[in-house]
Amino acid sequence: MMTDKVRIDSFGANSLNGNNETYLARQAEFESNVRSYPRKLPLAIAQAKGVWITDVENNQYLDCLAGAGTLALGHNHPDVLQSIQNVITSGLPLHTLDLTTPLKDQFSEYLLSLLPGQGKEYCLQFTGPSGADAVEAALKLAKKVTGRAGVISFSGGYHGMTHGALSVTGNLSPKEAVDGMMPEVQFMPYPHQYRCPLGIGGEAGVKALTYYFENLINDVESGVRKPAAVILEAVQGEGGVNPAPAEWLQRIRKVTKEHGILLIIDEVQAGFCRTGKLFAYEHAGIEPDIIVMSKAVGGGLPLAVLGIKKEFDAWSPGHHTGTFRGNQLAMATGLTTLKHLTENKIADKVAAQGEWLKGQLASMQKRYPVIGQVRGLGLMIGIEIVKPNEAQDHMGCYPSDPELSALLQKNCFKAGLILERGGRNGCVLRLLPSLLITNDELAIFLDKFEQALLASGIKPV
């Protein structure tokens, strides 16, 4: 745990003597209503290291959010900090548009080597430094390559908040007052381990969803024109931590290839060892046409990159640009992070820890039946909260309990644990900790989570 508190008065004369409430009130005065995390996690951060955050009142929290999965090595990893110092003292420019540098050359070579076939069939596109802009670029490129306009996306998917990315995102709430979404977006049901969208469940449900997708593409009376692209997450994150069954992904890859439809895999949150493999699509043994990368690829700093199969690199110069696509600091921290993850076999560590943690949570589920299901891969885990005293549906699932989920998040925070919520109506508590979290720290998580259950009035059975 952290012990030394940072001096915050060095940041100016308006130091507020370490009061969370005052900082939050000033934030509300300064910032738009659009801010979200401070409403659920009411703190002002003074210091962070590894998986630990200290607020301005010297309260400590185990951070299982990690910048929504951005901080693969946790807060302020010494190698990451050193890479920043190296750039600052090297004389390299911090801003280069898409001009190259020796650092960019090293980063590009290393990142490409991690793609299928060591990247020999791929090239990179540096976009604006957000996952959403990379999604925008991927959608535009697919349309340019194929000459078609349509896109198939999936219920529960999350791809960003810009216009095109929001159009292929499942969540309806941010779309409510936005007219003129991107046309010809067809949503299809995504497999769900606990709540099958076809009401079938199990292997039969997966087979039915697989057939449904293939039939839609092949049926000349489907009413859906052949799309330019299919975009999906191999593990849905914001949608409630739903891993795609391997056979479903494999069939989608087969059908899209047969019909000349580009397969875009969004690895923004699930990529770079988060699921126990370098990329989440590797669990199904497939190769995407376009890979969307952000978050961890920049080592904690803003960066977004596409991996594009060279045969689909149909861009003309300057047809998708971005002022900040040459972030040298992010390439330095990204290169350091990628090397640490691969050279230390962090994916294997994460896979083992994920299985252990799911086992521990499954044992807790027996004592606390408000835990409807524990699911996920690696250190991307979801805990669905339900109402076990109400009637089960025909698949044996209890109704979700978003109110209790919100209360649990609040009581986790009071216990010194930072978690996010996701899934339908926010009924899933989500874990996205640093990939370097230790087994002892995972044990602390379990203890704090049980404290929150008890504080929420949930008695063990």
Side-chain angles (χ1 to χ4, degrees), residues 84-95:
I84 294 173
Q85 292 291 337
N86 291 346
V87 172
I88 291 172
T89 58
S90 71
L92 276 172
L94 300 183
H95 182 279

Side-chain angles (χ1 to χ4, degrees), residues 64-75:
C64 287
L65 177 57
T70 299
L71 300 167
L73 304 188
H75 294 277

Side-chain angles (χ1 to χ4, degrees), residues 143-159:
K143 294 178 181 184
K144 187 175 179 67
V145 168
T146 64
R148 300 190 292 269
V151 178
I152 289 178
S153 189
F154 292 88
S155 56
Y158 180 87
H159 301 288

